Each structure stands twice: as structure tokens, then as C-alpha cells.
Amino acid sequence: MHPLKIYCLKNKISQKKLAKELNKSENWISFIISCKKKPSPKLAKKISQLTGIPILQLLYPEDYKDLDLDIKNYQRHNHNQGAS
């Protein structure tokens, strides 16, 4: 899962809102999250400043697949809390 997707899930922010904050189209953000496109270094820096995600994770998300485990654990934890 792309680090930006993880950020959106953890912070309960929609891709639409994120796109607006970055002054980009929702489609462009979707392309980045789905790994169909990579952000330019300039956009990666802007995203990093907004989200705290390291630039290298934004430019090379395939190198950070271990983050998938983090979000799965996060989702499982939040689901279990909601069931209480």
C-alpha cells in the first residue's frame, strides 16, 4: 500500500481533501496512490512537508512495502475498538 494511502487512512482524510490541500486534481493524487504515476521531486517535497512522509517513500513506495503490515495492524486495532 502506498504511504500516502496509509497517511489518508490513519488521518481520516479523503483523497479529494488531500488533493485540494496540494492544489492538484483528485485524479492525480489517485494515480500517485495507485503507483500509476510518481510525484515530481517538487510535489514529493510539498507532500512530505504536509504529511511528514519522507520524500524517498513518496518517490519509491515499492521499497517500503513493510508499511503494509503497519496499516493492516492499525485497521485491525481500530476495527476491534469500534466493536467494544
Side-chain angles (χ1 to χ4, degrees):
M1 189 177 296
H2 194 282
L4 201 50
K5 177 74 171 183
I6 294 168
Y7 172 84
C8 288
L9 289 171
K10 283 186 175 182
N11 293 284
K12 298 179 182 161
I13 183 172
S14 68
Q15 289 181 30
K16 183 176 184 174
K17 183 176 179 184
L18 181 64
K20 187 174 181 176
E21 289 182 25
L22 294 168
N23 199 28
K24 294 293 176 189
S25 72
E26 188 176 351
N27 279 345
W28 189 248
I29 298 302
S30 179
F31 284 144
I32 292 171
I33 287 174
S34 65
C35 297
K36 292 179 182 173
K37 301 277 184 183
K38 289 190 178 191
S40 67
K42 184 177 178 179
L43 179 57
K45 182 178 179 183
K46 189 174 180 179
I47 294 169
S48 179
Q49 289 171 336
L50 177 69
T51 65
I53 299 169
I55 293 172
L56 287 177
Q57 285 185 17
L58 295 165
L59 294 174
Y60 305 103
E62 63 276 5
D63 293 340
Y64 296 90
K65 292 190 185 260
D66 289 345
L67 293 176
D68 284 348
L69 298 175
D70 292 341
I71 192 62
K72 287 177 185 169
N73 288 334
Y74 174 82
Q75 288 173 326
R76 187 177 308 117
H77 175 73
N78 280 348
H79 177 71
N80 289 341
Q81 280 187 337
S84 301

